[in-house]
Amino acid sequence: MNENNKKNAELRSIQTEDKSTNHKVKKAILDNFLSLNSNIIKTIHRAGRYAFMCKLMDREIPKAYREAAKAPVDEKKVVFVEVRHPHVTNSMQVMFDELANNYDYNIHTHFLLTNGTIRADFRKRCLDAVRDIATAKYVFMNEASNTMSAMPLRHETKIIQLWHGCGAFKKFGFSTADLLFGASRKEQLRHPFNKNYSLVTVSSPEVIWAYNEAMNIDESTGIVQATGSSRTDIFYDKEFLNEAREHVYELVPQAKGKKIILYAPTFRGRVAKAETPDMLNIKMFYEALGEEYVLLIKHHPVVKNPPAVPEAYKDFAMDVGNILSIEELLSVSDICISDYSSLVFEYSLFEKPLIFFAYDLDEYFDWRGFYYDYYELAPGLIAKTNLEMIDYIQHIDERFDKKAIQEFRYKFMRSCDGHATQRIIDTAFENPQAHRKECEKFEHFYSVPKVESSKTPYFKRVEKVKRQKEAATSLYASLKSSKLKKGSVIALDIKSKEIKLLAKQAGIKLVKSGNLDEAMPIIAQSQFIIIDKPSTLLDSIELRSETKVIYLPSNAFPLSAFGYATKKYRSGLRREIYENAPLFSSVTAVTAPSKATGELLKKGFNKDVEVLEIGDVKSDILFNEENRQKLLNKLYEKYPKLKGRKIIAYISTNGEPIDDSAMYEYLYKDYVLLKCYTNPANMTETSIYYADSIVDVSESFKPYELLSIADIAIGNINAPILSFTATGKPIFLYTGNTAKALSEIEPLIDFENEVKLPVFNSIYDVINGILDIEKYDYTGYNQTKEKYLALCNGNSLENLLNQLK
């Protein structure tokens, strides 16, 4: 404990029972000290961040950019930059879809994670982004960024600001310089957030002046143009509109047969500590409107802790922020309630009723301000109370002024006609027609891309693959005539810990490609090469015909798409890598645990590969008794109190937690619960009261290792859990929301129709099933096992080696 903390603890120990003057004086001193101490810490933190940002913006970014800009511009490189979010958001998604489907540009992505990561990581992300942008022809953004403005931008590169909202409602940028919300004019001039733009797209000619003011752009440059907003094109897509309604009904079945009220407020305060309003009275809405309406709530995405919907009204109201996009909600809602959010402009395209819940209008005006008079702007009810809104909705047919919405739409959204994306491309790109490509089927890449786990940015990986290809091709050519070792088998760059263990036990040589001088002679002389992930090394060279490359799937159960079957491949995100090392081009065979699984796996390859029906090598660990005992010894050595009871393994691949309290209350006498989260960031803190029965082992056990010692398995819908059916031991698929869980999977299989296993939404149903485990229903279980995992019996590697002889 440091000296400040010790002092604070001593001061807090003053006895509050003493009501004397002496006590009051001491308490006042304590309060003043704590307040002063807190302010000093905040001041130091602000000063440290300011110094960090000055160094980054004034020196490091310009230097990194200039060095990288010595290389020529890549005329095909298009970079998407997200400032705050870890994925391409809706403001740029339509543009991303258009370029990925209909053009041959090389798409790169960067995620700066402003306010979402530590300084060292933020610095690296910024420098990686500017180094990549230094040779890019086109750059897309949707938010302001001092990082992008700090670059001494070369004239060949164009930055297109798509912006994340339509119209011009609440003030931003230079328009807020003299308000509470914004940074001072001096600060904004020192490190501007809206500089280097070639084009800023807006939704209507009416608002050009506001964006010029907010971004400090000279109107004579013509940079701000009313091309329309790319994101609004999706509202003219009939297929999307139909799918949106089906998706809403799938996730919110209580909405069928009722009208939908959408409540979508903007945040309050600054972005880093954004809060959401909590003045909508769900109880009043339910009692007055519950028979005719459902209420769907979508808080602003920067809000971290939105208020929970009371359990009593779950059939009427639902927070759908994590399961439905704002585009889907705007498309299906019959009434929209907002406040100061720009989404009202987009909603006006549907010409449906808008309600403005502006209970704190005066405070918000002082805080941030508006570009237009609020009372003249709003084309619907401006309400300060819940009763006003309820009364308006109850009389909506006679009170809704459609003409006001139409006039509002024309004024602020007239350039949004469903063709904005193409208009932006035609305006910003040089000869885009030369880069058009045939598109068999237009796809939406809503789940792609997200931040990749690789520590090396994409543009550096491209260079690495190019260098590797050049060196490997030359080296392999000199070794190609060397004598092949007939029957020789090696395992190259194996990722799976389980497969490494089994390969060692079988005497298979493990080879790493890091040192080409050592690896290439072995590769050149090997007849069989086993891999468990795509190999850019093997795919970048032309192997001798006698060498066969066998791919081991990452999981026994064929749940998720891989390779050519994924949207990630089709999005073009890694096009440059695959141009140098065509994905799976070296693979000649794939292993499979059944004929049905083999047919599914073939979809991942862009060619006909041989299917070796030998089982699944990775699943052999589930049957390895010797290794099981070693793992148990390892477990009990660290947690001796767990010994003597059966093991329940909980595997979570999406971070969904399990109710420790419920599991402990009902099962601790006979079972222990071992939890494994595949993403370490999702690890949970278990109460000390449950430590004798519940342990998070994410750091010490891989999923298949944990499953190999388990008697029962619980998990969200994921491949390791489904692979566990090979053992014949009980599994319980558990998720709080089945539809959401399935929507997160890019399936290789028709899960709902083909997997004959129940999915539990209540942990108490799972607990009851475990308490009555003798009555576990194996009917659907055995059907699933027989169809997809019939040959998984612990002998898969032996079977494979026998086939290779």
Side-chain angles (χ1 to χ4, degrees), residues 495-682:
K495 179 181 180 181
S496 166
K497 184 178 177 181
E498 298 86 354
I499 293 177
K500 285 180 184 178
L501 172 69
L502 295 164
K504 283 182 180 179
Q505 291 177 348
I508 298 173
K509 187 177 182 64
L510 294 172
V511 178
K512 291 184 178 180
S513 64
N515 188 327
L516 287 181
D517 289 333
E518 292 181 3
M520 290 306 292
I522 301 172
I523 291 171
Q525 294 174 18
S526 299
Q527 184 175 2
F528 300 105
I529 302 175
I530 295 173
I531 60 173
D532 69 343
K533 63 179 181 180
S535 172
T536 55
L537 172 61
L538 298 181
D539 292 338
S540 67
I541 60 178
E542 188 176 340
L543 291 168
R544 62 205 298 176
S545 59
E546 302 96 324
T547 298
K548 307 299 180 186
V549 178
I550 299 140
Y551 178 71
L552 309 184
S554 56
N555 289 286
F557 195 91
L559 178 64
S560 300
F562 70 96
Y564 287 85
T566 63
K567 283 189 175 181
K568 190 159 192 171
Y569 175 83
R570 295 194 297 275
S571 72
L573 257 186
R574 295 183 176 179
R575 181 179 288 117
E576 290 154 303
I577 288 179
Y578 297 140
E579 284 173 355
N580 288 280
L583 182 63
F584 290 137
S585 61
S586 62
V587 173
T588 55
V590 60
T591 63
S594 74
K595 184 176 181 179
T597 299
E599 290 302 310
L600 288 168
L601 293 176
K602 287 171 73 173
K603 295 179 180 180
F605 305 91
N606 192 31
K607 59 179 183 177
D608 187 28
V609 296
E610 182 183 1
V611 176
L612 305 177
E613 294 178 25
I614 52 89
D616 178 84
V617 174
K618 192 171 186 177
S619 71
D620 281 1
I621 199 80
L622 301 175
F623 302 88
N624 191 319
E625 186 58 35
E626 180 183 350
N627 192 61
R628 178 178 184 275
Q629 198 55 54
K630 287 181 181 179
L631 292 172
L632 285 173
N633 292 340
K634 172 184 171 183
L635 176 71
Y636 295 143
E637 183 178 351
K638 189 172 183 179
Y639 305 104
K641 290 183 179 180
L642 302 181
K643 199 169 185 178
R645 286 171 286 172
K646 292 183 178 180
I647 294 174
I648 300 172
Y650 176 66
I651 310 292
S652 175
T653 56
N654 63 358
E656 191 166 1
I658 193 169
D659 189 335
D660 290 347
S661 175
M663 295 295 289
Y664 184 84
E665 288 290 337
Y666 290 95
L667 301 171
Y668 82 96
K669 289 183 180 180
D670 299 313
Y671 296 94
V672 297
L673 175 66
L674 304 182
K675 300 184 291 185
C676 178
Y677 293 90
T678 56
N679 184 346
N682 295 324

Side-chain angles (χ1 to χ4, degrees), residues 44 218 243 321 627 719 753 790:
I44 292 172
D218 184 344
E243 289 178 354
N627 192 61
N753 294 319

Side-chain angles (χ1 to χ4, degrees), residues 557-560 600 603 742 746-756 787-788:
F557 195 91
L559 178 64
S560 300
L600 288 168
K603 295 179 180 180
L742 290 173
E746 190 174 352
L748 190 61
I749 186 174
D750 183 353
F751 182 87
E752 291 181 281
N753 294 319
E754 296 297 327
V755 178
K756 309 297 183 181
K787 183 171 184 178
Y788 297 108

Side-chain angles (χ1 to χ4, degrees), residues 297-539:
I297 303 169
K298 176 84 169 179
H299 295 287
H300 195 282
V302 300
V303 174
K304 294 180 175 63
N305 298 301
V309 174
E311 186 71 16
Y313 311 115
K314 66 178 183 179
D315 291 332
F316 166 70
M318 181 185 292
D319 183 345
V320 294
N322 291 326
I323 60 175
L324 290 168
S325 70
I326 189 61
E327 287 78 18
E328 290 174 313
L329 292 167
L330 293 174
S331 300
V332 304
S333 298
D334 299 284
I335 299 170
C336 177
I337 302 173
S338 191
D339 42 23
Y340 320 114
S341 172
S342 63
L343 65 83
V344 299
F345 295 105
E346 293 161 61
Y347 192 67
S348 72
L349 293 173
F350 297 97
E351 299 184 353
K352 294 179 181 178
L354 270 165
I355 297 174
F356 297 80
F357 189 22
Y359 64 88
D360 59 347
L361 178 58
D362 294 337
E363 292 89 341
Y364 199 87
F365 180 81
D366 292 338
W367 169 253
R368 191 158 178 178
F370 303 101
Y371 286 108
Y372 295 84
D373 182 283
Y374 192 86
Y375 288 98
E376 294 180 5
L377 173 80
L381 173 71
I382 299 175
K384 297 235 175 192
T385 68
N386 285 273
L387 284 174
E388 289 177 272
M389 293 189 287
I390 290 169
D391 180 66
Y392 179 81
I393 293 171
Q394 288 175 327
H395 301 89
I396 195 83
D397 291 338
E398 59 261 37
R399 293 188 184 176
F400 170 49
D401 185 353
K402 189 171 184 177
K403 184 179 179 182
I405 289 284
Q406 290 172 332
E407 291 174 350
F408 178 84
R409 172 183 176 173
Y410 178 77
K411 183 174 184 179
F412 293 107
M413 299 294 289
R414 79 181 80 165
S415 300
C416 298
D417 56 1
H419 304 289
T421 301
Q422 190 60 56
R423 197 153 45 238
I424 293 167
I425 292 173
D426 292 340
T427 301
F429 283 56
E430 297 175 10
N431 193 20
Q433 290 303 316
H435 295 277
R436 291 285 294 189
K437 68 177 183 181
E438 289 187 17
C439 176
E440 294 181 7
K441 179 184 178 183
F442 192 93
E443 293 187 279
H444 297 296
F445 299 103
Y446 298 133
S447 59
V448 184
K450 295 182 186 259
V451 172
E452 294 181 292
S453 59
S454 173
K455 294 180 181 178
T456 306
Y458 173 68
F459 70 96
K460 288 187 178 180
R461 277 180 281 158
V462 172
E463 290 304 313
K464 182 180 177 181
V465 170
K466 287 180 179 178
R467 290 195 302 269
Q468 182 188 59
K469 178 178 183 177
E470 184 178 348
T473 301
S474 174
L475 192 54
Y476 190 77
S478 67
L479 297 165
K480 203 171 182 181
S481 59
S482 61
K483 187 176 181 181
L484 187 77
K485 293 182 180 179
K486 199 168 177 70
S488 58
V489 182
I490 65 167
L492 180 67
D493 292 334
I494 296 298
K495 179 181 180 181
S496 166
K497 184 178 177 181
E498 298 86 354
I499 293 177
K500 285 180 184 178
L501 172 69
L502 295 164
K504 283 182 180 179
Q505 291 177 348
I508 298 173
K509 187 177 182 64
L510 294 172
V511 178
K512 291 184 178 180
S513 64
N515 188 327
L516 287 181
D517 289 333
E518 292 181 3
M520 290 306 292
I522 301 172
I523 291 171
Q525 294 174 18
S526 299
Q527 184 175 2
F528 300 105
I529 302 175
I530 295 173
I531 60 173
D532 69 343
K533 63 179 181 180
S535 172
T536 55
L537 172 61
L538 298 181
D539 292 338

